[in-house]
Amino acid sequence: MYRYDEFDDRYVRARVAAFRDQVERRLSGALTEDEFKPLRLQNGLYLQLHAYMLRVAIPYGTLNSRQMRQLAMIAERWDKGYGHFTTRQNIQFNWPTLKDTPAILSALADVGMHAIQTSGNCIRNVTADHFAGAAADEIEDPRPTAELLRQWSSGHPEFAFLPRKFKIAVTGSPNDRAVTKAHDIGLRMVRDGDGAPGFEVIVGGGLGRTPMIGKVMRDYLPKADLLPYLEAILRVYNLHGRRDNKYKARIKILTHETGIDVLREQVEAEFRQLKAAGPDATTAVDAREIGRIEAYFRQSAFVKLPATDASFDRACETDAGFRAWVETNTAPHKQQGYRIVTISLKPIGAAPGDASADQMRAVAEIAAHYGLDEIRVSHEQNLVLPHIRLGDLATVFAALQKAGLGTANVGLASDIIACPGMDYCALATARSIPVAQDIARRFSDPVLAREIGKLQIKISGCINACGHHHVGHIGILGLEKAGVESYQITLGGDATETAEIGKRVGPGFAFEAVGPAIERLVQAYLALRASPDETFLAAYRRLGAEPFKQALYGGAGETPRAAPPPPAPVFDTYHY
């Protein structure tokens, strides 16, 4: 993985020192809250429903064991003993005090981490495929590209005050595990006719108030042209993006209102001007710099192993729990004799994405001893050990079980993405976590869960869609209506390379009615599917919404009940 150099360290330390001074002035009263707000947001510090929240960047979701141990220490020393991993591959601490935040940022700097650009109308944390560098289907490791984008975008003066926040995702695989089509810019690795790798460039995706699937701006972009081409896109957006209405300020609205063809012409014209000006006037990167970055990601620690392992086979034969975990929580590795392990942060009845300090330390120990010291955070709010030998899987599983991290449900109905909702967020208008917990309990039986198969349920507690509900096979959006919580259900969403926005099927449900409604949906699917291999999404696409709508509403009327009043005052935009 990439290691910060002296420049990176000086830059981050200088930001910590500046923020320490700003906090001291705020505490003394020398700065008002209105004056302090833009300063703290530039350092990832939000004022939320109950307390401050610090959002820490995990670029392209990659950590080592030392960094994970430091996050555990921060959670224990300055928070309430846990952290929350988000759909932006970040971690959030929900309970820091203002006076402690400079010390937290200093502790992060000690391990090459920070909270810069996790907020604001700038280029946010660049995300990537959480299986990067390990996936068997990968064309090329996307992490060097993501690191190049991190260096290019960090503190970029021209793009520090865009019309709205800006998010980029990168995948190196034809199977999209980075939700690239729901980002402002999505980059998918492809090959040209000669087999040279480059990028399909997708622009104008995004969820939230106006969900849209991104449109292809370039079918193939050579790798050498990546930064000047992205600069051209950002310049066009910076010039034409709306600043009069924040709800219409994202590039997805510009793409929709301008049209992808016209927008493409503007971007290509800007790109040609940048290229014509020569390398001194563009962000073209010297091949030696690309090589320097790529060298950090070359994995030389793999051991040549056979394709099978006798101890692994015996464990699968004798331990049904281990065998089930292997089936759901591991994936093929490009290196023979290895597997990719996904650690579920969705134990039945828990808050999705939360990990205690002890659990973080346990993951760090496992990664250091068995995983080539690499950990990933997925946008699905799980953790990943990308490089585990077949012969070590049983030992790793036992260690995860001991830490309460052995739930075998990745990709199943209880592996639910959920935002913090009204439990933490000042913008939320409904609860998310209790809904997720209730649904997970209803599908906790492992036999039933495996019979249902792959099913993505995603929940948001407000229209900002931090829970990615728009691209869930089953999406749930909690809203406040006349003082009560009402939950809309959408069906048919898809976060992969065949991305789609889910369709709302009818009126909302009361809080207590959501779990039974989802149960009816799933039972209808089991009765309607063409074969045990037909997934929920495939069945929905084949049959359409009507039979599922009948399952939801046929004789099962909704009676909204009183809910707690919505939280008072809205402080900051809390969007992953």
Side-chain angles (χ1 to χ4, degrees), residues 2 104 193 258 288 310 314 342 453 458 481 487 506:
Y2 187 80
I104 298 173
T258 305
R288 289 171 297 181
R314 281 194 301 272
T342 299
K458 305 184 181 187
K481 292 188 176 181
Y487 293 83

Side-chain angles (χ1 to χ4, degrees), residues 133-193:
D137 60 356
E138 190 171 76
I139 295 171
E140 189 174 287
D141 187 344
R143 289 175 302 159
T145 296
E147 173 57 29
L148 179 66
L149 296 180
R150 182 195 72 82
Q151 294 187 26
W152 166 70
S153 63
S154 294
H156 197 304
E158 188 175 352
F159 306 136
F161 297 97
L162 294 166
R164 201 71 173 89
K165 56 194 169 186
F166 205 91
K167 300 174 183 180
I168 302 174
V170 192
T171 181
S173 167
N175 298 302
D176 186 0
R177 288 177 289 267
V179 206
T180 58
K181 292 187 176 182
H183 281 73
D184 298 285
I185 292 178
L187 300 172
R188 295 181 65 232
M189 186 71 71
V190 293
R191 296 187 186 276
D192 67 5

Side-chain angles (χ1 to χ4, degrees), residues 83-125:
H84 176 72
F85 291 95
T86 80
T87 52
R88 290 299 304 159
Q89 297 181 310
N90 293 319
I91 185 171
Q92 293 179 173
F93 295 107
N94 289 316
W95 300 99
T97 63
L98 179 57
K99 68 179 179 61
D100 288 334
T101 51
I104 298 173
L105 294 177
S106 181
L108 290 169
D110 289 343
V111 293
M113 297 184 73
H114 59 77
I116 299 166
Q117 292 187 198
T118 58
S119 179
N121 293 337
C122 58
I123 299 171
R124 299 281 186 94
N125 186 45

